[in-house]
Amino acid sequence: METTLRGVGVSHGVAIGEVRHMGTAVLEPPAKQIPTEEAEREQGRARQAVEAVAADLIARGNLAGGEAQHVLEAQAMMAQDPELMADVERRIAVGSTAERAVYDAFASYRALLAGAGEYLAGRVADLDDVRNRIVARLLGVAMPGVPDSDEPYVLIARDLAPADTALLDPALVLGFVTEEGGPTSHSAILARALGVPAVVALPGASELAEGTVIAVDGSTGDIFVEPSPEKRAALEASAAERKAALAASSGPGATSDGHKVPLLANVGGPVDVPAAVEAGAEGVGLFRTEFLFLDDSGRAPSEEKQVEAYRTVLEAFPEGRVVVRVLDAGADKPLDFLTPADEPNPALGVRGLRSLLEHPEVLRTQLTALAKAAEGLPVYLEVMAPMVADRTDAKDFADACRAAGLQAKFGAMVEIPSAALRARSILQEVEFLSLGTNDLAQYTFAADRQVGAVSRLQDPWQPALLDLVSMSAEAARAEGKSCGVCGEAASDPLLACVLTGLGVTSLSMGAASIPYVRASLAKYTLAQCERAASAARAADSAEDARKAAQAVLSGE
């Protein structure tokens, strides 16, 4: 009999197929003591396993490219953390086997982070996956991974680690459903990049029986268990209609009455540029520069290396707009040469612009490199700072840009509620705003964006979050300046219409989402988008806001 479950839709599309469950490694190795004379050999085994897993993660990243590459390289750094390795070797020295020492060291590290309230504690899937891979290699058992199957299927997992998500074969994995995770988790972001329908934070997902036929709607978050022939036909017709609309959609982003809404791409480096160009991106709304800093050298990249990477991206969008975010380090992206090692809560500490202002030489080198990379190019370069809290932050950043001789527009990211509340003040110092809705939701609701248990509060449809977006857009309008969205909210076609109605002037997203958003905007007038935005803000919950906007746009 058909039943309906509801999770959080994070990647558009419909998938219908049989359930297959994610394989897992043995989670807990046996506890046994080893003789003292074997300690050195066991320590060697542990080091070899760690290096092998790190190398495998990097190799997977190189194969996957794009956003996945940066995520997996960060995971490899996690595996090679020197403090963790020192803890493993200490445990072996007092009698633990290599596999047990790894298991216990990771458990201790995880508990320490959770107890300190650190942002990294939310990356459960990433941390556990690294541990499982090392332990599996030491035990000689199969690595965690997707099931072997000759037939296409819907993948079910408690959570998906980036290493598994990055190399999913869309020809076999029709879609996936996880019990944990949130709309801005690594798995959700990578699913959108792959174009695989996905639903996360579905309670009881792991209890779905192997072989059960389910239909996954990645737009609504609905899961239909044993769908009726009528339901299957309706979902397939809807998917076909959506595919036809995408095929017919091209050109710049605009509403049906001609109101222009530039559709830009989020990129993590030169490797993401081809997909953005192919999707018809009108420029780059978020160029994440962290990829240059996440190597194992322990120092910032040279000015020359930065110039080369930046110019590659700038050259891909002649006459287009490219918005570069300067280094956003700290919290889940710690850097040894930049990030304090003893912060009790990095998400609320020295991260983003705060780190750069404490290390002005790093900021100065990056800004100088951007200035040189843009020389002689017809691109419209804009540079923005992450984690701007107030006018003082904005002024300090603008002053640094001028001192570096940067001929570009300077902007501020709105990721902290204070920046939205005082947006007009901040705009006295900078020329544009860009809303990072992922972090803005996290800080507005005190809800870690990686924790599935609070995914309700990470939903970008939350009316309080829409209020902050509206406040920022209104401030920009009053100052005659622009206000874009570069967070994951922009990738939702329905929400994109609402954001447009709130006064947002551009939308930036993963390249795979651009055709969906373009087609959605083209169906409605600006006035319809404005009415939908008003209806959404008048609601009291994210679900009601979504329904209210949908009702307006469908003419109900």
Side-chain angles (χ1 to χ4, degrees):
M1 188 175 85
E2 179 181 314
T3 56
T4 304
L5 306 174
R6 169 61 69 84
V8 178
V10 295
S11 184
H12 310 302
V14 172
I16 302 175
E18 291 188 0
V19 163
R20 293 286 183 275
H21 284 272
M22 186 77 175
T24 59
V26 175
L27 294 180
E28 185 171 359
K32 61 180 182 180
Q33 291 292 107
I34 59 168
T36 304
E37 59 269 21
E38 292 184 18
E40 188 173 344
R41 180 179 65 85
E42 288 295 287
Q43 289 171 340
R45 286 182 65 227
R47 286 192 294 271
Q48 288 174 0
V50 165
E51 291 305 317
V53 166
D56 178 62
L57 289 168
I58 290 171
R60 285 169 175 259
N62 290 336
L63 281 173
E67 179 74 28
Q69 184 171 6
H70 316 317
V71 171
L72 294 178
E73 286 173 352
Q75 246 194 318
M77 291 174 65
M78 186 185 294
Q80 296 170 307
D81 183 282
E83 290 187 18
L84 259 175
M85 196 63 234
D87 190 15
V88 168
E89 293 188 345
R90 281 194 297 270
R91 292 172 187 275
I92 293 172
V94 295
S96 283
T97 61
E99 48 267 34
R100 186 70 205 191
V102 167
Y103 181 87
D104 289 340
F106 268 80
S108 176
Y109 184 49
R110 189 180 186 208
L112 178 66
L113 292 175
E118 292 199 7
Y119 182 74
L120 187 57
R123 296 212 180 279
V124 173
D126 301 39
L127 191 64
D128 287 353
D129 183 60
V130 171
R131 177 202 64 197
N132 288 349
R133 288 175 185 278
I134 298 171
V135 170
R137 183 170 288 276
L138 287 165
L139 290 174
V141 301
M143 289 282 180
V146 298
D148 290 327
S149 176
D150 296 328
E151 297 296 324
Y153 58 88
V154 176
L155 181 63
I156 305 293
R158 186 168 187 83
D159 206 342
L160 275 173
D164 299 312
T165 315
L167 296 182
L168 290 179
D169 181 357
L172 281 177
V173 181
L174 302 172
F176 68 75
V177 180
T178 66
E179 197 160 316
E180 300 293 337
T184 58
S185 65
H186 279 153
S187 293
I189 292 170
L190 296 179
R192 285 188 285 272
L194 288 167
V196 177
V199 172
V200 301
L202 178 71
S206 57
E207 297 172 12
L208 289 166
E210 189 89 2
T212 303
V213 175
I214 65 171
V216 179
D217 189 330
S219 299
T220 65
D222 289 328
I223 305 293
F224 303 97
V225 182
E226 299 291 359
S228 66
E230 293 78 16
K231 174 60 71 176
R232 293 182 65 151
L235 288 169
E236 287 167 351
S238 175
E241 181 183 342
R242 188 179 300 149
K243 186 175 181 180
L246 292 179
S249 174
S250 62
T255 58
S256 63
D257 57 341
H259 175 72
K260 294 186 182 302
V261 187
L263 302 181
L264 312 172
N266 294 343
V267 303
V271 72
D272 292 337
V273 168
V277 172
E278 185 179 351
E282 298 168 61
V284 173
L286 172 61
F287 179 6
R288 305 180 183 94
T289 57
E290 289 75 40
F291 76 101
L292 279 167
F293 295 79
L294 292 174
D295 63 19
D296 58 1
S297 66
R299 61 181 183 273
S302 67
E303 181 181 303
E304 293 73 20
K305 181 178 179 180
Q306 292 188 56
V307 169
E308 180 183 0
Y310 301 150
R311 195 169 179 90
T312 300
V313 175
L314 295 176
E315 287 176 336
F317 295 94
E319 306 293 339
R321 177 187 180 201
V322 175
V323 184
V324 179
R325 180 181 70 191
V326 294
L327 176 63
D328 184 15
D332 63 322
K333 293 170 287 195
L335 296 172
D336 290 342
F337 63 88
L338 200 68
T339 308
D342 57 352
E343 276 198 299
N345 194 336
L348 301 179
V350 183
R351 63 166 293 197
L353 179 61
R354 299 167 187 175
S355 285
L356 293 175
L357 293 177
E358 287 200 357
H359 297 81
E361 72 286 353
V362 176
L363 178 59
R364 182 169 54 251
T365 299
Q366 184 169 25
L367 294 174
T368 302
L370 284 165
K372 291 183 178 180
E375 285 179 0
L377 296 180
V379 69
Y380 296 96
L381 175 62
E382 301 184 9
V383 182
M384 62 186 182
M387 300 300 292
V388 171
D390 57 15
R391 183 172 179 173
T392 299
D393 279 351
K395 183 179 186 306
D396 288 345
F397 177 65
D399 287 346
C401 288
R402 294 187 192 97
L406 192 60
Q407 300 298 310
K409 285 187 176 181
F410 317 141
M413 292 197 71
V414 178
E415 300 168 285
I416 305 173
S418 64
L421 293 167
R422 300 290 293 172
R424 197 158 183 181
S425 171
I426 288 172
L427 284 165
Q428 305 310 303
E429 304 295 341
V430 295
E431 297 171 83
F432 69 94
L433 300 177
S434 184
L435 288 141
T437 52
N438 306 351
D439 270 327
L440 185 57
Q442 171 173 251
Y443 292 122
T444 298
F445 296 102
D448 192 315
R449 53 191 278 196
Q450 298 299 322
V451 177
V454 292
S455 61
R456 176 181 72 82
L457 297 172
Q458 300 157 356
D459 193 324
W461 282 94
Q462 283 285 354
L465 189 66
L466 299 181
D467 287 344
L468 293 174
V469 172
S470 177
M471 196 175 295
S472 303
E474 179 57 39
R477 185 188 300 114
E479 293 296 325
K481 297 180 178 180
S482 64
C483 177
V485 169
C486 64
E488 291 300 315
S491 65
D492 180 335
L494 180 61
L495 186 51
C497 295
V498 168
L499 294 172
T500 298
L502 292 173
V504 165
T505 55
S506 66
L507 298 166
S508 189
M509 64 210 75
S513 297
I514 290 175
Y516 290 94
V517 172
R518 182 191 293 121
S520 182
L521 281 172
K523 291 162 59 177
Y524 308 110
T525 65
L526 176 58
Q528 286 176 298
C529 292
E530 289 171 341
R531 289 196 295 272
S534 294
R537 288 184 66 194
D540 290 321
S541 70
E543 185 174 357
D544 287 346
R546 185 184 290 107
K547 288 178 179 177
Q550 183 65 69
V552 169
L553 294 177
S554 62
E556 295 178 8

